[in-house]
């Protein structure tokens, strides 16, 4: 039985599968010697330690909804990639964090590669056009980056395979493919950035439309709309709390960093040379067509422009491109931009997907005409034009950078130009030779030349790109790597870190159960952000990307109000020995010193009506979703817990539900009667409850739809 399956499915496509595996290996080839690895920045600083924490909470029988270890506490459902439904989080249950991360991104990239190939084959393209389309999409800058990033890329990785599921369902009316499409949409919504998910879902729906008219719209709603809407509704238990997080976050108080918006010169040249050109800035992963893709797409537009420009997917992709351009040049105000991070380029992967479709269609048309025209085997004129334009633009770009005294990274650009130029030259030469010798089939020769042209354009920059823009690193857990005993500063208090290590200790505090005042994340509670801003604890200049490093203020008294008990001072920090209010607690061999805050009275304390600290309060129970405090307090005094105020936290006084309040960013309870009080704070968000009910209804409706599909298919088969 097993041998029959292999003979029918695997061996006939062995070469195809082998080539796709080679694509995966090539992308990760430069990082294989350092296995296991994680990606610098968000991967190492944020995603890995929080994923480990989520899995620990689940294995302990608790839902990981609140992160008590960063920025005085914040929600864990502030990003789709950090919730407990993310399928990639399974690896963190039984693997070391670095190995779990490595396996996770290998898995997602494999899904992307095989899904892209399956989509183009399903659309009726033969091997070479399908391979060309897959290469153009997989190696586009944004797709390449996000698919080798972490689970926040799920919409990008799942887009092609989800389209395959919908197409198979429309062809067969099978409940199995309907279920597969529903699950893919559900996972997209549970495990991806809001903007990426939004654009991917729109692309899936629009791809099902043949024309931009009411009839086609209604037809797409009938075939795909119901499954899409139910898949989105089924994820309400994560979407509702995430939307609440956005509403009560600091994001609308800060401007977004302009790193995503390149200058006009970068914008133009990256369209031809892909990810390798320019200064390797963060913005580059949102741009890439490359010479191969641009040449094939231009050919398709010249040959089939009437049918192409009427396609809704093409119109939508062009809209995304111009939306990003207009937003970058401030033609569109920031408040009107899509998504909570106000990043206008998040939808570029849809534009890249449309380019991939054009590339496949172009190659299909050329191969179908190889027997009709004598010069059909010559590289299309668009290839020569794009290659020439790339040379001219590169020269102009270098001149611009020299004049503006900007960093130039043009070595790889010329490598790409040279490699693609050699392929073009050899292509013309081989055609001439073959016209005399005639030893190679026309179709085979042209297929080889075009794929070689595409690979020459993408293989050089792919490794350099991923190495320079947030490269993969092989790092140990920083507390262990720096030799800092986590047990020395664990407890109810927080720590702050000063030094060139950035956010590493603060970000990995959640891994070791240690609370940090700073943090590395996307959204923080607005109430605590405003307090820290007033107290001068935030950097003098900050944006939505600051993710927040506490400023140079080392006032022991002021920090005691935030529950800061320890200061970790690196030797290279540039800070002098803090004398007032601090006591040296330990010094390590690498020059790291640990200081204890002598003003620390506890993470909970009693204040008067003027917010002056009177005495400390005892924390009896301390967990992520429940904190119990015991304190003696007089009437009108306030029992403060120095954790973030956020909707969903309920307050109980001696077992009686009472009204807690926002105590200048913290959680506070104004005492009504003097005496001993047991104050219990419980995190029980209403948004989560509403989301669970909405998800349950959506799952029930989908099961009904699934049952109806199965019954209808059996009924139709009978007749």
């Amino acid at each position: 039985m097993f041998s029959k399956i292999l003979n029918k499915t695997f061996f006939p496509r062995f070469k195809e599968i082998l080539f796709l595996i080679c694509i995966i290996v090539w992308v990760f080839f430069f990082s294989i010697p350092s296995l296991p690895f994680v990606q610098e920045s968000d991967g190492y600083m944020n995603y890995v330690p929080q994923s480990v924490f989520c899995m620990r909470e689940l294995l302990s029988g608790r839902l990981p909804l609140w992160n008590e270890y960063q920025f005085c506490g914040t929600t864990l459902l502030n990003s789709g990639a950090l919730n407990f439904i993310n399928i990639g989080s399974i690896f963190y249950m039984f693997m070391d964090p670095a190995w779990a991360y490595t396996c996770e991104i290998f898995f997602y990239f494999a899904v992307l590669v095989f899904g892209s190939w399956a989509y183009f084959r399903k659309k009726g393209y033969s091997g070479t056009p399908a391979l060309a389309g897959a290469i153009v999409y997989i190696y586009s800058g944004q797709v390449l980056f996000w698919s080798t990033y972490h689970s926040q890329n799920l919409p990008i990785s799942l887009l092609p395979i989800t389209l395959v599921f919908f197409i198979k369902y429309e062809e067969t009316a099978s409940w199995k493919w309907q279920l597969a499409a529903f699950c893919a949409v559900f996972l997209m919504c549970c495990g991806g950035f809001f903007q990426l998910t939004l654009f991917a879902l729109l692309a899936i729906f629009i791809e099902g439309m043949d024309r931009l008219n009411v009839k086609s719209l209604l037809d797409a709603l009938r075939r795909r709309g119901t499954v899409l809407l139910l898949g989105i509704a089924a994820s309400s238990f994560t979407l509702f709390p995430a939307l609440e997080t956005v509403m009560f976050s600091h994001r609308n108080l800060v401007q977004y960093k302009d790193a995503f918006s390149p200058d006009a010169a970068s914008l133009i040249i990256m369209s031809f040379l892909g990810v390798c050109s320019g200064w390797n800035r963060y913005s580059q992963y949102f741009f890439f067509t490359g010479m191969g893709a641009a040449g094939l797409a231009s050919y398709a537009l010249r040959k089939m422009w009437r049918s192409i420009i009427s396609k809704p997917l093409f119109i939508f992709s062009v809209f995304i491109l111009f939306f990003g351009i207009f937003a970058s040049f401030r033609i569109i105000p920031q408040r009107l931009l899509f998504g909570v991070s106000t990043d206008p380029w998040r939808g570029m992967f849809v534009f890249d997907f449309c380019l991939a479709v054009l590339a496949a269609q172009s190659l299909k048309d050329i191969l179908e005409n190889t027997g009709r025209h004598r010069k059909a085997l010559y590289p299309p004129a668009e290839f020569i034009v794009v290659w020439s334009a790339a040379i001219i633009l590169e020269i102009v770009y270098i001149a611009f950078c020299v004049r503006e005294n900007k960093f130039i990274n043009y070595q790889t650009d010329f490598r790409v130009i040279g490699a693609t130029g050699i392929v073009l030259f050899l292509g013309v030469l081989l055609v001439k030779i073959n016209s005399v010798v005639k030893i190679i089939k026309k179709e085979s020769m042209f297929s080889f030349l075009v794929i070689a042209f595409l690979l020459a354009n993408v293989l050089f920059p792919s490794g350099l790109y991923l190495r320079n823009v947030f490269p993969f690193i092989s790092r140990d857990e920083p507390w262990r790597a720096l030799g800092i005993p986590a047990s020395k500063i664990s407890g109810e208090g927080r720590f702050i870190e000063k030094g060139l290590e950035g956010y590493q200790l603060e970000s990995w505090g959640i891994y070791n159960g240690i609370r940090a005042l700073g943090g590395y994340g996307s959204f923080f509670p607005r109430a605590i952000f405003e307090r820290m801003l007033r107290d001068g604890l935030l950097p003098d200049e900050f944006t939505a990307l600051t993710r927040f490093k506490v400023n140079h203020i080392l006032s022991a008294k002021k920090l005691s109000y935030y529950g800061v008990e320890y200061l970790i001072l690196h030797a290279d920090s540039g800070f002098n020995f803090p004398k007032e209010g601090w006591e040296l607690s330990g010094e390590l061999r690498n020059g790291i010193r640990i200081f204890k805050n002598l003003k620390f009275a506890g993470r909970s304390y009693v204040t008067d009506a003027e917010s002056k600290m009177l005495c400390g309060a005892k924390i009896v129970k301390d967990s992520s979703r429940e904190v119990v405090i015991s304190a003696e307090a007089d009437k009108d005094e306030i029992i403060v817990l120095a954790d973030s105020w956020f909707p969903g936290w309920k307050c109980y006084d001696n077992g009686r539900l009472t009204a807690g309040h926002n105590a200048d960013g913290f959680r506070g309870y104004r005492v009504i009667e003097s005496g001993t009080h047991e104050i219990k704070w419980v995190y029980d968000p209403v948004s989560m409850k509403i989301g669970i009910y909405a998800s349950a209804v959506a799952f029930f409706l989908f099961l009904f739809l699934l049952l109806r599909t199965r019954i209808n298919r059996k009924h139709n088969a009978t007749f």
Side-chain angles (χ1 to χ4, degrees):
M1 181 68 179
F2 182 68
S3 61
K4 288 183 179 179
I5 295 174
L6 286 178
N7 289 327
K8 288 181 67 176
T9 59
F10 181 77
F11 291 119
R13 296 185 176 180
F14 174 73
K15 289 188 288 186
E16 299 172 3
I17 294 173
L18 182 63
F19 192 87
L20 295 176
I21 292 173
C22 289
I23 291 177
I24 298 174
V25 172
W26 175 265
V27 169
F28 294 100
F29 181 76
F30 67 91
S31 57
I32 286 176
S34 61
L35 288 176
F37 52 78
V38 295
Q39 194 158 26
E40 199 172 23
S41 189
D42 284 6
Y44 182 72
M45 298 289 195
N46 189 27
Y47 179 71
V48 173
Q50 292 196 26
S51 294
V52 174
F53 172 76
C54 286
M55 291 304 102
R56 286 176 180 171
E57 289 288 284
L58 282 177
L59 293 175
S60 301
R62 298 184 294 267
L63 290 179
L65 303 179
W66 186 260
N67 175 6
E68 58 180 319
Y69 298 101
Q70 289 181 316
F71 212 70
C72 297
T74 183
T75 64
L76 272 170
L77 290 173
N78 59 6
S79 168
L82 296 177
N83 69 63
F84 48 87
I85 297 299
N86 196 312
I87 190 172
S89 300
I90 296 173
F91 293 106
Y92 292 88
M93 287 187 173
F94 52 86
M95 286 186 177
D96 175 81
W99 274 112
Y101 183 92
T102 304
C103 293
E104 182 184 19
I105 61 173
F106 267 108
F107 170 72
Y108 285 132
F109 192 70
V111 170
L112 169 71
V113 171
F114 285 94
S116 301
W117 170 259
Y119 171 78
F120 287 104
R121 293 291 283 170
K122 196 64 195 169
K123 295 295 285 187
Y125 295 104
S126 60
T128 303
L131 187 58
I135 289 173
V136 170
Y137 182 64
I138 293 165
Y139 279 99
S140 62
Q142 189 184 23
V143 175
L144 181 63
F145 179 86
W146 283 109
S147 60
T148 54
Y149 195 51
H150 50 68
S151 298
Q152 291 171 332
N153 75 302
L154 261 181
I156 292 178
S157 294
L158 290 179
L159 174 61
I161 196 66
T162 306
L163 287 170
V164 172
F165 293 155
F166 273 102
I167 294 170
K168 293 284 286 185
Y169 165 62
E170 290 163 359
E171 290 177 350
T172 63
S174 169
W175 67 271
K176 296 178 182 179
W177 292 113
Q178 188 180 39
L179 177 62
F182 172 83
C183 291
V185 172
F186 173 74
L187 290 174
M188 273 190 190
C189 295
C190 287
F193 274 162
F194 170 77
Q195 306 97 317
L196 301 182
T197 302
L198 173 65
F199 284 121
L201 294 174
L202 286 172
I204 290 168
F205 178 78
I206 293 172
E207 196 269 349
M209 298 174 60
D210 295 326
R211 291 286 183 270
L212 195 62
N213 53 41
V214 176
K215 181 181 178 181
S216 183
L217 175 64
L218 294 175
D219 184 53
L221 280 171
R222 179 183 59 82
R223 292 182 289 107
R224 298 187 179 184
T226 305
V227 175
L228 282 169
L229 290 174
L230 288 177
I232 295 169
S235 64
S236 297
F237 69 98
T238 63
L239 289 181
F240 284 15
L243 290 174
E244 180 184 55
T245 301
V246 173
M247 290 173 58
F248 291 94
S249 77
H250 73 287
R251 272 297 174 93
N252 59 344
L253 300 177
V254 299
Q255 292 291 316
Y256 204 72
K257 193 175 181 181
D258 290 334
F260 291 103
S261 302
D263 52 55
S266 297
L267 180 62
I268 294 173
I269 198 166
M270 279 190 283
S271 299
F272 290 92
L273 289 176
V275 296
C276 60
S277 59
W279 310 308
N280 283 311
R281 294 171 57 196
Y282 192 31
S283 59
Q284 289 188 24
Y285 70 71
F286 292 105
F287 304 88
F288 173 62
T289 56
M291 289 183 283
L296 286 172
S298 300
Y299 176 88
L301 285 172
R302 176 166 65 87
K303 288 287 187 177
M304 298 161 275
W305 68 272
R306 291 181 185 275
S307 60
I308 290 173
I309 62 174
S310 63
K311 292 289 185 182
L313 183 62
F314 176 79
I315 297 171
F316 180 54
S317 66
V318 172
F319 162 77
I320 290 174
L321 175 63
F322 281 100
F323 177 82
I325 294 173
F326 291 156
S328 295
F329 290 100
R330 300 294 187 268
I331 299 173
I332 299 176
Q334 278 203 352
R335 65 179 180 274
L336 297 180
L337 300 183
F338 290 152
V340 291
S341 68
T342 61
D343 175 6
W345 296 104
R346 286 281 162 88
M348 276 299 291
F349 71 96
V350 178
F351 180 77
D352 294 329
F353 184 76
C354 186
L355 280 177
V357 173
L358 291 180
Q361 184 62 43
S362 175
L363 196 49
K364 179 182 178 182
D365 180 79
I366 294 172
L367 292 176
E368 288 175 349
N369 289 291
T370 52
R372 303 178 192 174
H373 306 292
R374 183 174 60 85
K375 293 185 178 181
L377 284 183
Y378 286 101
E382 283 77 8
F383 277 31
I384 306 297
V385 171
V386 169
W387 183 74
S388 303
I391 295 178
I392 296 171
L393 283 172
E394 182 68 16
I395 294 171
V396 172
Y397 185 72
I398 292 174
F400 168 80
C401 291
V402 171
R403 191 188 70 176
E404 299 293 326
N405 196 27
K406 293 182 179 292
F407 171 74
I408 307 173
N409 181 28
Y410 55 83
Q411 292 89 350
T412 304
D413 293 354
F414 281 128
R415 243 182 278 172
V416 173
I417 293 174
T420 48
I422 291 171
V423 171
L424 286 174
F425 173 76
L426 291 177
V428 175
L429 185 62
L430 285 173
V431 169
K432 289 288 188 183
I433 295 173
N434 196 62
S435 63
V436 178
V437 182
K438 295 181 180 179
I439 57 174
I440 305 175
K441 289 183 179 180
K442 294 181 179 180
E443 295 84 351
S444 300
M445 178 184 292
F446 190 80
S447 299
F448 170 78
L449 292 175
V450 171
I451 297 302
F453 187 86
L454 290 173
L455 292 178
N457 189 197
V458 299
L459 291 185
F460 280 113
S462 64
L464 176 74
Y465 169 59
L466 291 174
R467 280 195 295 267
N468 284 286
V469 185
F470 294 168
F472 288 117
I473 55 176
S474 181
R475 287 186 183 172
D476 196 3
E477 187 271 308
W479 289 81
R480 183 168 59 239
L482 293 173
I484 303 176
S487 59
K488 186 176 181 60
I489 60 174
S490 61
E492 69 172 77
R494 296 189 171 90
F495 78 93
I496 59 173
E497 175 190 9
K498 295 295 180 184
L500 299 182
E501 288 296 322
Y503 303 91
Q504 290 184 27
L505 295 181
E506 295 166 342
S507 300
W508 281 79
I510 190 173
Y511 180 84
N512 292 290
I514 302 173
R515 295 173 179 85
L517 182 58
Y520 187 93
S522 300
F523 303 95
F524 298 110
R526 178 171 179 165
I528 191 66
F529 174 84
E530 291 176 325
R531 174 172 183 144
M532 294 181 74
L533 188 62
R534 289 193 299 270
D535 287 345
L537 294 183
L538 297 179
D540 298 328
E541 294 184 7
F542 57 85
T543 68
L545 291 181
T546 306
R547 298 184 175 98
F548 276 99
K549 188 72 178 177
V550 178
N551 210 343
H552 302 324
I553 294 176
L554 292 179
S555 168
K557 182 178 180 181
K558 181 174 290 188
L559 291 175
S560 69
Y561 279 85
Y562 290 84
V564 174
E565 186 177 7
Y566 293 100
L567 163 67
I568 298 177
L569 196 64
H570 294 268
D572 53 8
S573 64
F575 285 88
N576 295 323
F577 180 85
K579 298 179 180 179
E580 186 178 352
W582 296 97
E583 179 183 71
L584 184 64
S585 177
E587 187 167 3
L588 306 180
R589 295 178 182 177
N590 52 15
I592 295 177
R593 291 174 292 174
I594 302 174
F595 297 90
K596 186 176 177 63
N597 187 353
L598 299 178
K599 303 289 185 180
F600 175 74
R603 208 170 86 247
S604 180
Y605 44 84
V606 181
T607 69
D608 60 18
E610 303 299 324
S611 298
K612 181 181 179 181
M613 187 184 299
L614 301 176
C615 62
K618 183 179 180 181
I619 295 180
V620 179
K621 182 179 180 180
D622 199 358
S623 64
S624 60
R625 294 178 59 186
E626 182 179 340
V627 182
V628 180
I629 305 164
S630 179
E632 291 277 347
D634 295 330
K635 184 179 179 181
D636 291 333
E637 291 180 345
I638 301 172
I639 301 176
V640 177
L641 175 63
D643 289 356
S644 303
W645 169 261
F646 195 80
W649 281 97
K650 295 179 179 179
C651 181
Y652 296 84
D653 180 12
N654 292 329
R656 185 179 69 256
L657 182 63
T658 186
H661 69 279
N662 181 353
D664 197 13
F666 296 139
R667 296 174 218 156
Y669 168 67
R670 186 178 295 276
V671 176
I672 299 175
E673 298 179 359
S674 301
T676 303
H677 296 266
E678 185 181 82
I679 306 299
K680 181 166 72 172
W681 289 94
V682 178
Y683 187 55
D684 186 22
V686 177
S687 59
M688 184 74 175
K689 291 180 179 179
I690 297 174
I692 289 174
Y693 292 140
S695 296
V697 172
F699 276 112
F700 176 79
L701 291 175
F702 179 72
L703 288 175
F704 175 77
L705 179 66
L706 210 62
L707 182 62
R708 193 183 71 172
T709 301
R710 189 170 186 179
I711 293 173
N712 289 342
R713 193 180 183 201
K714 286 185 177 180
H715 178 76
N716 293 334
T718 305
F719 294 95

